[in-house]
Amino acid sequence: MILITGGAFQGKRRFAEAFVCREKKGQSLPETAVQETLTVNGENGDWRKFRQADIIVDVHWWVEKLLREGEDPYAMIQKLLQANPKVVLTLDQVGCGVVPVKASDRQFRETVGRIGCILAEQAEQVYLLNCGIAMRIK
């Protein structure tokens, strides 16, 4: 698994698509190569698609959805990694800024941070993106 993290709107999806095209498919990034890459959004993707995806973007929104539905996000992340060990994941860093007032928002933020740590530990490679520039940190 490859983890790509960073702040919101920093170019994680574009980097993930270029990475998959280059590393997994041996292609540059023309639109046809991107169209052949199965990218699933964490917020509204379903389990069947997650198991087959090359890329899952916005994993933090999947975590939020799992918390809202009363599911265990830690168990589901492990299940995902077992089902699709070569997936590329993007995860926003949500722990910066003002601490949320609502307890549920604080729980979301803490859970995403802890899951990010778990993913980084298990990942083959980890990239941090800022302003569209990726830095490999693992």
Side-chain angles (χ1 to χ4, degrees):
M1 176 261 300
I2 309 296
L3 176 63
I4 302 166
T5 189
F9 308 107
Q10 296 297 308
K12 294 181 295 296
R13 181 186 186 126
R14 177 91 171 137
F15 178 79
E17 289 171 343
F19 182 89
V20 168
C21 289
R22 184 180 60 251
E23 301 294 322
K24 290 186 175 183
K25 299 184 184 285
Q27 302 170 335
S28 60
L29 192 60
E31 287 305 313
T32 55
V34 172
Q35 291 171 358
E36 293 170 6
T37 301
L38 179 55
T39 302
V40 179
N41 189 300
E43 184 174 18
N44 54 20
D46 63 42
W47 182 249
R48 183 180 47 80
K49 289 181 183 176
F50 285 173
R51 290 189 328 218
Q52 300 169 354
D54 294 311
I55 302 166
I56 301 174
V57 297
D58 297 335
V59 171
H60 54 284
W61 292 128
W62 183 46
V63 170
E64 193 269 339
K65 179 180 175 183
L66 292 170
L67 288 169
R68 198 175 55 240
E69 294 173 353
E71 301 259 357
D72 179 1
Y74 298 99
M76 292 303 290
I77 287 290
Q78 291 306 322
K79 187 176 175 181
L80 170 65
L81 296 179
Q82 290 172 353
N84 191 350
K86 297 297 183 187
V87 68
V88 175
L89 304 173
T90 74
L91 177 77
D92 277 7
Q93 293 179 331
V94 297
C96 300
V98 177
V99 176
V101 174
K102 288 175 52 180
S104 60
D105 292 344
R106 290 192 304 273
Q107 179 189 16
F108 161 69
R109 188 167 122 153
E110 180 177 342
T111 303
V112 169
R114 292 185 187 280
I115 284 176
C117 293
I118 291 167
L119 291 172
E121 182 179 308
Q122 294 183 24
E124 295 172 33
Q125 299 173 38
V126 178
Y127 293 89
L128 176 63
L129 253 80
N130 191 20
C131 297
I133 299 171
M135 180 171 60
R136 184 171 175 180
I137 58 176
K138 177 181 177 187

